[in-house]
Amino acid sequence: LLAVGTVTGMTMHPLGHKESHVVLYRVVNGERLQLLHRTKVDDDAGPVLSLVHFQGRLLVGIGRTVRLYEMGKRQLLKKCELRGLPTMVKTLQAAGDRAFVGDMMHSVQFLRYDSTSNKLVLVARDKNPRPVTCTELLDINTVAVGDKFGNISMLRLPRGADVGAIDVTGTRALWDSSREDATPKLETLCTYHVGEVVTSMTRASLVAGGAESLIYVTVTGRVGAFVPFTSREDVEFYSSLEGYLRAEAPRPTGRDPQAYRSYYAPMKHVVDGDLCDAYGQLPFDAKQKIAEKLERSVGEVMKKLEDTRNALL
């Protein structure tokens, strides 16, 4: 099945639309589409901006509302919804009974579906505002977020944060879950300033049998990747190399590389691969000086950089 969200007569200034639908198609033999039905969305809810498969149902972001639909014969059937999100829902990612909701101004909210009471419950939210453009689920607790300011961040749900989200006893006050200070906050694992608006990203392996990396593309067509380190030795090597290159690498604009990568938020737990790649363009004396500090030869440093590049490409 293929679900498509449509908006009719949308205007940006002022923001509004005439009507919005969720259209459901069946893919026939991988060659053509068969229209099953169209479901009209409430006019006051907002436009349909995101959809995702969720436990055999359809989770839809409609304006500031996240709504769960089930398949019906003539239209989709509304099962439950969560209203009152900060701004319009931009992205949706789902895994198991959990969903990561990215909105246009206030970053990511983490939801959980309680099948017993048929409710969507807010479990945690990001404490830093981010105008989200795209998200990618890394595991059931971790999500990568790209924003309009050219930053990529990795956010993780704190351990045990969702334990008390679903109240099976019914003794918790209704207002308790909506309090800002009572809602757990997502942890920021990594932050890196790419420098261009990130339009999309996905987990993928570019070589057969290779490890997965986080591949991203930007508004100018640039393609980049975040490669996870698998050993402490690699982390120490590249962190040291990056530190030495900050002082030795040429600066055409005179700007500090770390200050640029920390343009909106301090760079965290990410090694600047573009800066490390500049090692090959240094004069031999500068290469020899850095290699001695790393207790390696110039050839070994170059081979290490080449191996990391070949592991990705």
Side-chain angles (χ1 to χ4, degrees):
L1 299 178
L2 174 66
V4 181
T6 64
V7 179
T8 304
M10 188 171 185
T11 58
M12 301 304 294
H13 299 286
L15 184 62
H17 67 285
K18 292 182 179 179
E19 57 184 10
S20 185
H21 295 84
V22 177
V23 188
L24 198 63
Y25 296 92
R26 175 179 284 117
V27 182
V28 181
N29 298 327
E31 298 177 351
R32 60 188 181 90
L33 298 177
Q34 177 187 356
L35 175 63
L36 297 181
H37 48 63
R38 295 165 59 92
T39 304
K40 186 176 180 180
V41 177
D42 306 338
D43 293 336
D44 59 341
V48 177
L49 297 179
S50 54
L51 309 97
V52 70
H53 175 263
F54 186 80
Q55 294 186 339
R57 299 175 179 177
L58 184 65
L59 193 65
V60 184
I62 308 169
R64 298 171 57 188
T65 302
V66 177
R67 185 175 296 169
L68 187 62
Y69 283 104
E70 193 169 24
M71 180 71 172
K73 291 185 178 180
R74 296 189 176 181
Q75 67 175 12
L76 295 173
L77 307 176
K78 182 171 69 175
K79 304 303 292 182
C80 66
E81 65 181 17
L82 179 66
R83 291 177 174 265
L85 292 174
T87 54
M88 286 190 180
V89 177
K90 173 68 175 173
T91 64
L92 285 171
Q93 296 283 341
D97 62 346
R98 305 176 175 186
F100 286 92
V101 180
D103 63 37
M104 289 188 171
M105 291 298 294
H106 287 74
S107 193
V108 174
Q109 287 82 32
F110 172 75
L111 308 181
R112 186 173 176 185
Y113 176 63
D114 181 12
S115 57
T116 305
S117 58
N118 190 33
K119 291 195 306 182
L120 289 168
V121 183
L122 177 64
V123 175
R125 56 165 56 113
D126 188 12
K127 59 185 176 182
N128 300 314
R130 307 176 202 273
V132 175
T133 57
C134 57
T135 57
E136 175 66 15
L137 200 63
L138 302 182
D139 59 44
I140 198 169
N141 293 319
T142 313
V143 65
V145 182
D147 63 38
K148 290 182 180 178
F149 296 139
N151 302 306
I152 293 181
S153 306
M154 319 294 177
L155 307 176
R156 174 170 290 174
L157 182 72
R159 181 172 296 178
D162 62 338
V163 173
I166 296 178
D167 183 21
V168 296
T169 63
T171 58
R172 192 176 66 177
L174 294 176
W175 49 264
D176 186 41
S177 62
S178 62
R179 286 173 48 197
E180 175 68 26
D181 59 343
T183 305
K185 301 298 185 290
L186 297 173
E187 298 175 350
T188 303
L189 299 182
C190 306
T191 303
Y192 186 78
H193 180 64
V194 175
E196 300 173 6
V197 180
V198 182
T199 56
S200 181
M201 53 186 169
T202 184
R203 285 187 308 160
S205 175
L206 300 181
V207 294
E212 281 189 338
S213 303
L214 181 65
I215 312 297
Y216 68 88
V217 294
T218 67
V219 70
T220 61
R222 192 172 105 195
V223 181
F226 286 86
V227 180
F229 288 126
T230 56
S231 66
R232 173 61 61 179
E233 179 187 356
D234 290 342
V235 175
E236 293 175 351
F237 170 79
Y238 279 104
S239 298
S240 301
L241 178 60
E242 180 188 28
Y244 297 137
L245 283 170
R246 284 174 186 162
E248 298 292 339
R251 302 180 187 177
T253 62
R255 194 172 187 179
D256 180 40
Q258 187 176 14
Y260 174 68
R261 296 304 181 187
S262 305
Y263 194 82
Y264 285 93
M267 185 172 67
K268 183 179 181 182
H269 296 163
V270 179
V271 175
D272 189 350
D274 290 337
L275 182 60
C276 292
D277 198 46
Y279 179 82
Q281 303 171 6
L282 295 177
F284 182 78
D285 293 342
K287 290 182 183 179
Q288 185 70 32
K289 180 181 177 181
I290 293 176
E292 289 176 357
K293 293 179 180 179
L294 294 172
E295 299 180 352
R296 296 172 183 249
S297 65
V298 175
E300 289 175 342
V301 176
M302 294 296 294
K303 185 177 184 303
K304 187 74 172 177
L305 292 169
E306 191 68 25
D307 291 343
T308 302
R309 189 181 299 108
N310 292 338
L312 173 66
L313 302 176

